[in-house]
Amino acid sequence: MAVVRLALTDFRSYASTLVTCGPGLIVLTGENGAGKTNILEAVSLLTPGRGLRGAALSEMARSDGPGGFAVAARLAGDVEIGTGALATAPERRQVRINGAAASANALSEWLAVLWLTPAMDRLFVDSASGRRRFLDRLVLALEPAHAVHAARYEAAMRARNRLLADVRESGRQADPAWLASLEVAMAEHGTALGLARERTVAALGQRLTEQAEGPFARAGLALDGWAVADEDAFRAELATGRGRDGAAGRTLAGPHRTDLAVTHLGKGQPAARASTGEQKALLLGIVLAHADLVAADVGRRPILLLDEVAAHLDPLRRAALFDRLAAGGGQVWMTGTEPALFEQADAQRFVVVQGMVMDG
């Protein structure tokens, strides 16, 4: 699983650029603001979702460009995939696979991408929504259908919330058949979401506990909050909770209320109470173990995007990271301001200057 050619048109700081690369480690260095993270973001858009920044599509188009943008890639095996938006419809995502129009969810059949960014350093102490997004990215790499279930669950829940809000504001009764059909959809897709998360947490948690102690702290994983029972039970829970949910203005039960609980196994304490360096090491350990899990279960290793990953690691941990990544195989994109941070890495090197990516 590797990108061998990446072409950007009017994307972020790039009017037009082309990166030709191969499997293994890829290092992008350059000054702050040069556009290194923009390259990683472009790769992250080759899977379902809004990419590593979670930005609106209209924000990705070059600010002084004609509007719209395109990200195109050739994968190993001569598969062509691409995404972008037109100037005439800046918030409507376009996707093509081997020249044919496709849905964004279809991208997950071809590529899995995981990332760590500096913004994720607070993952364990910020809101549960960020941890759910992180967990769902892990699940998606193992179960591509997860994206479809998530989209359909969210769509049904939004429609139900609007219907209950109309009931609250107008005092009129909702169409019971329509409300019930939305709850059937929520129960079907929400149960699938919950079960997929449970499978991923169980498999990844087992792999983490079996790992030997090393430079990256081992994490214990569990799901907290709402727990899936079965489809019928969830549908009944939604039906009996209509009045409560209408008064609250939102749905109070479901997989959107689940949290990922992470503990530092070595210290037996919640990850939120660990030091900043320990939390970074926990995240790295989870991502590296998950890449191994995907490779074993799916037969192809996900692409890893590690933004500024080496800056806060001491030389021992940097060397251990590069050795672990090289031993695992697959394609890994890393960024940093100082080339010296990557001296120990056997990598393809590029230098990023405003609007240009050059061989390093």
Side-chain angles (χ1 to χ4, degrees):
M1 191 181 294
V3 171
V4 297
R5 182 180 183 273
L6 180 70
L8 310 183
T9 303
D10 292 318
F11 179 77
R12 295 288 190 183
S13 55
Y14 296 94
S16 178
T17 198
L18 178 67
V19 181
T20 303
C21 51
L25 308 189
I26 300 169
V27 170
L28 305 167
T29 56
E31 297 179 353
N32 290 327
K36 303 182 298 297
T37 304
N38 294 344
I39 298 292
L40 301 194
E41 183 181 28
V43 177
S44 74
L45 290 174
L46 299 173
T47 58
R50 291 188 167 190
L52 60 79
R53 284 192 174 106
L57 290 175
S58 57
E59 296 177 17
M60 300 177 192
R62 188 164 57 96
S63 59
D64 54 350
F69 71 91
V71 174
R74 178 180 298 153
L75 308 183
D78 289 334
V79 176
E80 303 277 351
I81 63 176
T83 190
L86 301 175
T88 53
E91 290 296 352
R92 182 179 178 185
R93 186 172 183 181
Q94 307 284 323
V95 173
R96 300 190 75 81
I97 300 175
N98 288 332
S103 70
N105 289 334
L107 292 169
S108 61
E109 298 289 342
W110 298 97
L111 206 60
V113 182
L114 303 175
W115 54 80
L116 288 179
T117 70
M120 295 172 64
D121 287 352
R122 292 184 54 81
L123 184 72
F124 301 131
V125 296
D126 281 344
S127 67
S129 61
R131 289 186 290 277
R132 277 194 301 274
R133 287 193 295 272
F134 175 68
L135 172 59
D136 284 338
R137 180 63 52 182
L138 301 180
V139 178
L140 184 62
L142 289 164
E143 304 191 30
H146 193 66
V148 175
H149 289 302
R152 292 180 179 173
Y153 175 79
E154 290 290 337
M157 182 173 65
R158 286 194 300 268
R160 178 178 181 269
N161 287 345
R162 287 194 299 269
L163 194 56
L164 293 177
D166 289 343
V167 170
R168 184 182 70 248
E169 293 168 5
S170 67
R172 296 191 299 269
Q173 286 292 104
D175 179 348
W178 176 230
L179 195 54
S181 70
L182 292 172
E183 290 168 351
V184 166
M186 287 180 65
E188 175 188 353
H189 298 293
T191 300
L193 279 178
L195 292 174
R197 287 171 176 169
E198 287 182 356
R199 288 191 292 270
T200 295
V201 166
L204 181 55
Q206 182 66 29
R207 182 168 285 268
L208 284 163
T209 58
E210 291 173 351
Q211 285 186 341
E213 292 290 348
F216 302 110
R218 291 186 301 132
L221 306 180
L223 293 176
D224 197 10
W226 183 85
V228 64
D230 58 55
E231 204 170 313
D232 290 338
F234 185 21
R235 185 168 60 249
E237 185 177 16
L238 290 169
T240 58
R242 291 172 184 173
R244 175 199 64 189
D245 293 348
R250 63 188 187 280
T251 300
L252 296 176
H256 63 289
R257 305 285 290 179
T258 301
D259 196 0
L260 176 64
V262 180
T263 57
H264 187 308
L265 289 179
K267 292 191 171 182
Q269 67 179 21
R273 292 171 54 190
S275 70
T276 301
E278 288 172 331
Q279 290 183 31
K280 185 87 168 185
L282 285 167
L283 265 177
L284 270 171
I286 291 171
V287 169
L288 295 173
H290 185 264
D292 291 340
L293 177 63
V294 174
D297 285 12
V298 181
R300 54 183 187 179
R301 187 171 292 271
I303 292 175
L304 301 183
L305 309 177
L306 306 179
D307 194 18
E308 301 289 350
V309 70
H312 302 295
L313 296 177
D314 57 49
L316 177 65
R317 284 184 171 83
R318 281 203 301 272
L321 174 62
F322 300 149
D323 288 345
R324 175 83 177 270
L325 293 173
Q331 189 177 63
V332 183
W333 299 65
M334 296 182 286
T335 67
T337 55
E338 299 295 332
L341 293 172
F342 303 97
E343 285 180 347
Q344 298 160 295
D346 181 11
Q348 304 164 72
R349 301 174 189 275
F350 297 92
V351 176
V352 181
V353 185
Q354 295 291 343
M356 295 183 294
V357 180
M358 302 172 290
D359 290 341

